[in-house]
Amino acid sequence: MTDSNEQHGVVLAGLTTMRVGGPAERMISPATERELLEATQRVWAEGDDWVILGGGSNVLVADEGFEGTVIHIVTRGIVRVGAPSGVVRLRVQAGESWDGLVEYAVANGWAGLEGLSGIPGSVGAAPIQNIGAYGQEAADALHSVDFLDYESGRVQRLPATELGLGYRTSVFKQGRAGLVLSVTFDLVDVPIPSEDDGDDSGDGDDSGDGDDSGDGDDSPADVSLTLGQPITFPQLASSLGVVLGARVPLAEVRRTVLALRSGKGMVLDDGDPDSVSSGSFFTNPIVTENFARALPAAVPRWLIEPEEEPIVVPLPELGIGVLDAQAAGISGPLPSAADPARAGAGADAGADAASLAARPPVVARTEDWSSPPAEPSAADVTLASGPLVKLSAAWLIEAAGITKGFRLPGSAAAISSKHTLAIVNTGGATAADVAELARLIQQRVSAQFGITLTPEPVYIGFD
Ligand SMILES: Cc1cc2nc3c(=O)[nH]c(=O)nc-3n(C[C@H](O)[C@H](O)[C@H](O)COP(=O)(O)OP(=O)(O)OC[C@H]3O[C@@H](n4cnc5c(N)ncnc54)[C@H](O)[C@@H]3O)c2cc1C
């Protein structure tokens, strides 16, 4: 398997952003799409355990490493393929850098990915959890995925509509095994506003000839003026100084998103110890509206669409448990930020989080917490129907008494000093340190709110 750069005993910590994890029994790093396809098929035919590793920014690799083959994705290449007018369709190899792609799109004046600036990792991983930030997600621009299916052993072009893309999820997260070879995106080729647009001041150059100013029709278009997609995320809108729904030049959106992310330790930066992480360690829990109604009034919550920042929406304290509320069929729209008249109605500022702990934890699972964390939320949500509500995992963690900088005695894993949702390796942490802190967080939040937080990173090599 010489064409696949086969190696043995590579320590995976060096290939992950959390910088933890033991050796891979075998690792292959095929350089081209064809080699990747063929090498993967050979690995599958051998029947050994295997796992795919992209940029290592959303995994937690066990200290024992991985007994089997790590298929490391390093294929590169971006090609523009045919598309309807106004659309720029790019087919991108799985091993391309995600942020490199965003930078490339912005530099060319193509809209659709700018809000996803600064997310680490590879393009092939983007559809796996449908990466998202600042009001955009991969799904918004995703056209299709070229996928080597483990079941059939064949390559299929899966349209975005068949990928089950949702909040940090996809069919791949839900168990469809295989390899993303390439991802095709549809970006918006926005016409660049001309300097003459709307200019009726009469001072334009209407001489028709003799224009040697260098800003005439023949000069290259200034792509930095190209407008991005409408801004839908309040914090981003406020940093940009615009109203929600406004459109802002792509380069400005990218610059602002990168600055916001840096402030939270969410851009990989050798000079920022808080970026030695796997990003947000838990997803924001999604619960039924009825369940949300039984939470203390102070718990921030928001309806799933459109994506908004968490807001504190006081709800009536029902005085009954979640099961009772469901049995009683209590429903109806939640107050939302867009409906300030309702937001204060029935507030019970005195609702006490501690009193809730006495209630039966409806969605909590009784797990052996010495094992790797479970991924309960999808199953839990399907237990009940009705409108769904997103809660702020960061808020729940802080309310459960775990604050920024928290660490267990003797552990080198800590909560980021900038962002409660990130677990960071402060230097010399083991995977066990990280997993232990994650379990503690889950336990505390579960005990207090009856909610089991779902880890975002994928655990590799844990029993
Ligand atoms: C500082 C920081 C900030 C982050 N911010 C965000 C954010 O804002 N939003 C967000 O959504 N995520 C964020 N993340 C998480 C992470 O960057 C993304 O999930 C990213 O897409 C992971 O890419 P990767 O190549 O590193 O995947 P890896 O970590 O290597 O793999 C993640 C999973 O995808 C699978 N996988 C990878 N490549 C392929 C492939 N080609 N085919 C099939 N399966 C594959 C792996 O097997 C694994 O299960 C952040 C992470 C960090 C460290």
Side-chain angles (χ1 to χ4, degrees):
M1 215 182 272
T2 49
D3 56 345
S4 299
N5 302 319
E6 181 170 325
Q7 294 170 279
H8 296 263
V10 173
V11 176
L12 296 172
L15 298 176
T16 72
T17 56
M18 185 68 97
R19 300 186 199 158
V20 301
E25 185 181 353
R26 172 169 73 160
M27 185 170 88
I28 58 168
S29 313
T32 67
E33 183 176 12
R34 171 153 291 281
E35 287 169 9
L36 175 60
L37 171 60
E38 291 173 355
T40 302
Q41 285 172 328
R42 281 198 295 272
V43 169
W44 290 352
E46 288 166 7
D48 276 353
D49 283 349
W50 56 276
V51 71
I52 296 169
L53 185 68
S57 63
N58 211 18
V59 289
L60 181 65
V61 181
D63 297 312
E64 294 72 28
F66 183 71
E67 276 182 43
T69 302
V70 172
I71 302 167
H72 189 206
I73 310 298
V74 296
T75 49
R76 307 300 295 261
I78 302 178
V79 291
R80 186 169 175 174
V81 296
S85 160
V87 173
V88 174
R89 186 165 292 166
L90 300 180
R91 184 153 300 134
V92 188
Q93 290 298 306
E96 280 287 343
S97 143
W98 173 263
D99 194 48
L101 171 66
V102 178
E103 188 178 24
Y104 175 70
V106 168
N108 280 284
W110 299 327
L113 303 179
E114 60 280 0
L116 304 175
S117 292
I119 298 180
S122 62
V123 166
I128 304 297
Q129 71 158 8
N130 182 26
I131 55 171
Y134 296 98
Q136 267 180 5
E137 52 185 22
D140 299 337
L142 220 149
H143 172 270
S144 58
V145 159
D146 284 3
F147 184 67
L148 176 60
D149 187 69
Y150 180 65
E151 282 290 311
S152 67
R154 298 174 53 183
V155 177
Q156 299 168 322
R157 180 157 297 160
L158 304 174
T161 48
E162 289 180 18
L163 300 183
L165 299 168
Y167 169 65
R168 300 301 166 273
T169 194
S170 69
V171 290
F172 311 120
K173 280 287 252 192
Q174 302 302 325
R176 182 153 187 186
L179 167 69
V180 173
L181 289 162
S182 67
V183 187
T184 302
F185 297 94
D186 275 355
L187 306 181
V188 184
D189 195 3
V190 196
I192 298 167
S194 129
E195 283 184 17
D196 291 340
D197 276 358
D199 179 3
D200 56 4
S201 62
D203 60 0
D205 177 12
D206 58 0
S207 60
D209 58 11
D211 178 5
D212 60 359
S213 64
D215 63 356
D217 290 341
D218 293 340
S219 62
D222 182 358
V223 289
S224 69
L225 294 175
T226 309
L227 299 178
Q229 298 294 71
I231 304 295
T232 59
F233 201 78
Q235 187 189 25
L236 180 57
S238 124
S239 295
L240 286 163
V242 299
V243 293
L244 283 176
R247 300 180 65 204
V248 175
L250 288 172
E252 206 179 325
V253 177
R254 177 168 167 80
R255 229 181 358 259
T256 307
V257 166
L258 288 174
L260 282 169
R261 294 184 66 94
S262 290
K264 299 175 186 172
M266 285 291 165
V267 175
L268 293 184
D269 174 359
D270 286 342
D272 182 358
D274 278 320
S275 72
V276 185
S277 76
S278 48
S280 299
F281 205 92
F282 297 101
T283 56
N284 289 321
I286 293 173
V287 299
T288 62
E289 183 185 13
N290 283 339
F291 182 83
R293 280 177 182 277
L295 290 168
V299 177
R301 65 202 79 191
W302 63 108
L303 287 169
I304 286 204
E305 293 293 343
E307 185 174 355
E308 288 174 2
E309 282 177 284
I311 46 166
V312 176
V313 179
L315 291 175
E317 175 59 46
L318 298 171
I320 51 177
V322 175
L323 284 173
D324 299 333
Q326 283 171 342
I330 294 170
S331 63
L334 276 174
S336 78
D339 188 1
R342 298 196 56 182
D348 179 2
D352 176 10
S355 69
L356 202 77
R359 294 179 184 164
V362 175
V363 297
R365 302 221 307 211
T366 48
E367 294 260 0
D368 170 10
W369 293 108
S370 61
S371 58
E375 300 210 3
S377 64
D380 291 334
V381 161
T382 55
L383 289 177
S385 56
L388 299 177
V389 175
K390 204 191 273 181
L391 307 176
S392 163
W395 190 95
L396 294 170
I397 293 169
E398 291 217 6
I402 297 175
T403 51
K404 296 188 182 91
F406 175 94
R407 71 167 80 189
L408 286 163
S411 172
I415 300 293
S416 160
S417 70
K418 300 192 182 82
H419 191 2
T420 320
L421 256 192
I423 296 180
V424 300
N425 175 356
T426 62
T430 61
D433 287 340
V434 176
E436 188 184 22
L437 180 53
R439 281 196 300 272
L440 176 90
I441 293 168
Q442 284 185 312
Q443 272 174 330
R444 290 257 187 106
V445 170
S446 174
Q448 187 137 345
F449 297 105
I451 294 165
T452 304
L453 292 179
T454 303
E456 202 182 287
V458 176
Y459 280 53
I460 294 177
F462 287 75
D463 290 332

